[in-house]
Amino acid sequence: MGYIHNPKLLFLLGAVALIQRFNLAKNLNNKTILCVTVSKNWGGGEQFILDLCSNIRDYDFFIAAPEGKAFNSFDNIGFDVIKINSLKKVYKTSGKWNFNSYLKILFYLSLSTLNLIKIIIYTKPCLIIANGNLAGLYSLPASIILNKKLLVIQHLIYTNKSVEAKILNILKKKVERFVAVSNTVAENIKSIIQNESKVELIYNGIKINENNSISFNVSGTMKLGMVGSLLRIKGIDLVIKSFSEINPKNNLLLNIFGSAADDLDSINYENELKLLVNRLGLNDYVLFQGHEDSRAKIYSEIDIAIIYSLIPEAFSYSVAEAMGYGKIVIATGLGGPKEIISDSYNGFLVEPDKPKMLKEKIKYCIENFTSEELIQIRRNAKKTIEEKFSIEIFKKQYEELFNSLLCKK
């Protein structure tokens, strides 16, 4: 009891308490977020990071990414991006995970853990955002070791017995929230992890075209368009075949914006598509435009957007962006697109296994493009994006989520 009355000890204890309080306040005021992504190429996940870092001004963002197109794009824009080549995306072999794939994941996981620990110590983030399941797995050990809160953004849909589902169940023990980009994804994640409180629904945000008027094609050529990575599940070959059956084609073009993804099957698929176009004699009518950063440029070359995914899409930037630009959209009625489009109100839904139905809907839209019905559908499309899927709503919901998580003790 005598020590309590020691002035020197009291001063020392007071100084320690003051330092602790200062450090606590410093941590609470820390507004740095580290985003971790694993893709070399640009896709929906990378667009999500761009939208997040560009629109939420109250936080400072660092991005950890492997070298490639995505890294270069972030760097050119001016973001604080750190190259970690061990953040590699691992693909299935012939549609299946094999022993070699597991070894690759373990190897990259160990390297990424060491690299991320260094980056976290350097950047001192209050929160880590993993862009996808694999990025979440790579971020997990470092977040545990350094006691950092972890969010994992979910852009995909998984089966209950898949390897990805097993990763989700590993992650759920540490992750603060799985943020789903659509209700389809949210319900899928809930069914796998059996914990609704861990799942948050925040739709991806779309920057609305500032031109509020509905533009009309004045070139005399009707331009159909597809936007996105050249993946087999996108049904691009079926769209090309349907297009080939529409006559006459003298005043029609099909613009395909996008490039192959990292995996071998996507590269092979791109080659198959070009061979198909050549075999059908469509080289003057089907144009592969490659990757294009400017959305304004893309949608100036599209009158009718076609998104014919053969499996449920998680969200579909292509659907929402085209609608935001006031385009007629034809999409398969699965997953995210079905949450955005109300058939014949703000776009059209078709079934994925009925290319004849797709062809008839394309013909209908071409023939009635300037009708009052389709003009109103285009107006409704823009209105839907403005009211439900705007970048402003996206920003507000993420700010609320960050504030709620970082205020929690």
Side-chain angles (χ1 to χ4, degrees):
M1 294 293 291
Y3 285 106
I4 295 176
H5 302 289
N6 187 319
K8 291 183 179 180
L9 183 58
L10 285 172
F11 176 80
L12 182 61
L13 290 172
V16 170
L18 188 63
I19 291 170
Q20 289 177 333
R21 288 175 64 187
F22 173 78
N23 286 333
L24 178 60
K26 187 177 178 182
N27 288 333
L28 287 173
N29 291 326
N30 181 15
K31 293 245 179 170
T32 300
I33 293 175
L34 176 64
C35 296
V36 180
T37 189
V38 299
S39 180
K40 289 184 176 182
N41 287 331
W42 194 269
E46 289 60 52
Q47 183 64 44
F48 159 80
I49 292 178
L50 173 62
D51 291 337
L52 190 74
C53 299
S54 300
N55 290 283
I56 298 183
R57 304 295 185 184
D58 291 341
Y59 291 86
D60 297 319
F61 291 90
F62 284 86
I63 302 170
E67 63 181 345
K69 292 179 183 177
F71 177 92
N72 293 336
S73 295
F74 288 132
D75 192 37
N76 292 336
I77 292 167
F79 290 128
D80 292 314
V81 56
I82 302 165
K83 189 182 295 182
I84 302 181
N85 285 331
S86 55
L87 292 170
K88 286 189 181 289
K89 197 167 187 177
V90 179
Y91 293 95
K92 301 175 185 178
T93 303
S94 300
K96 296 181 180 179
W97 292 104
N98 57 26
F99 183 69
N100 187 44
S101 300
Y102 296 138
L103 284 180
K104 284 183 179 179
I105 289 175
L106 288 173
F107 176 68
Y108 296 139
L109 175 61
S110 61
L111 290 180
S112 296
T113 297
L114 295 174
N115 287 319
L116 285 171
I117 286 173
K118 294 177 187 176
I119 298 305
I120 292 168
I121 291 172
Y122 169 69
T123 59
K124 298 179 176 61
C126 58
L127 183 67
I128 300 171
I129 296 178
N131 191 32
N133 231 14
L134 196 55
L137 185 63
Y138 289 163
S139 303
L140 182 63
S143 69
I144 293 173
I145 292 167
L146 297 175
N147 194 29
K148 296 295 180 180
K149 292 184 177 182
L150 177 63
L151 289 182
V152 180
I153 312 303
Q154 292 295 329
H155 302 277
L156 299 174
I157 299 167
Y158 310 113
T159 59
N160 284 355
K161 294 183 179 180
S162 64
V163 170
E164 292 85 357
K166 292 176 182 176
I167 293 175
L168 281 171
N169 280 306
I170 293 171
L171 290 172
K172 74 177 182 181
K173 298 174 183 177
K174 165 63 182 174
V175 168
E176 294 288 328
R177 293 286 194 283
F178 294 100
V179 184
V181 300
S182 70
N183 189 58
T184 299
V185 174
E187 293 303 316
N188 176 244
I189 302 302
K190 288 175 187 177
S191 71
I192 292 171
I193 69 169
Q194 296 295 303
N195 187 341
E196 291 193 7
S197 65
K198 287 267 184 175
V199 182
E200 187 96 11
L201 168 61
I202 301 180
Y203 285 106
N204 286 330
I206 302 300
K207 187 174 181 180
I208 308 300
N209 179 20
E210 293 180 359
N211 180 8
N212 290 322
S213 63
I214 299 297
S215 60
F216 289 93
N217 185 320
V218 294
S219 67
T221 299
M222 184 68 63
K223 298 174 183 177
L224 313 182
M226 303 186 74
V227 183
S229 298
L230 305 183
L231 303 174
R232 207 172 292 277
I233 58 173
K234 299 286 188 179
I236 302 169
D237 56 312
L238 297 176
V239 174
I240 292 171
K241 289 174 184 176
S242 294
F243 178 79
S244 72
E245 297 173 6
I246 298 173
N247 289 305
K249 282 183 282 296
N250 292 336
N251 295 320
L252 292 179
L253 282 179
L254 174 58
N255 287 313
I256 300 176
F257 288 93
S259 56
D262 300 336
D263 64 301
L264 182 60
D265 185 64
S266 180
I267 295 168
N268 290 337
Y269 186 53
E270 180 178 17
N271 293 330
E272 291 170 23
L273 291 174
K274 291 178 178 178
L275 287 172
L276 174 64
V277 168
N278 186 61
R279 180 168 59 82
L280 293 173
L282 296 174
N283 290 310
D284 293 334
Y285 306 103
V286 178
L287 307 179
F288 291 89
Q289 303 285 7
H291 176 76
E292 172 58 57
D293 288 323
S294 171
R295 264 35 196 171
K297 173 72 165 56
I298 289 173
Y299 291 106
S300 69
E301 297 297 325
I302 294 176
D303 300 307
I304 300 170
I306 304 168
I307 298 89
Y308 196 63
S309 180
L310 305 180
I311 63 172
E313 288 204 44
F315 174 73
S316 186
Y317 270 111
S318 300
V319 166
E321 285 176 345
M323 291 171 64
Y325 275 86
K327 305 300 177 179
I328 291 294
V329 178
I330 303 171
T332 43
L334 299 171
K338 195 174 181 179
E339 296 177 41
I340 305 172
I341 294 177
S342 298
D343 188 42
S344 300
Y345 169 74
N346 54 11
F348 296 99
L349 296 174
V350 294
E351 296 180 38
D353 56 349
K354 294 185 179 180
K356 184 178 179 182
M357 181 181 181
L358 171 66
K359 182 186 75 173
E360 293 305 317
K361 191 61 67 175
I362 293 172
K363 285 180 64 178
Y364 179 82
C365 291
I366 291 170
E367 293 166 1
N368 297 278
F369 188 73
T370 59
S371 68
E372 182 58 37
E373 176 199 1
L374 266 66
I375 291 171
Q376 187 58 48
I377 284 175
R378 296 169 72 187
R379 292 194 186 107
N380 293 341
K382 289 195 70 170
K383 182 180 178 183
T384 297
I385 301 305
E386 289 169 354
E387 294 181 350
K388 297 182 179 180
F389 303 98
S390 71
I391 203 74
E392 289 75 19
I393 296 172
F394 168 90
K395 173 188 173 185
K396 180 182 177 183
Q397 290 180 327
Y398 268 102
E399 286 176 338
E400 290 173 351
L401 176 60
F402 293 163
N403 292 336
S404 68
L405 288 178
L406 296 176
C407 288
K408 282 172 55 180
K409 294 183 180 179

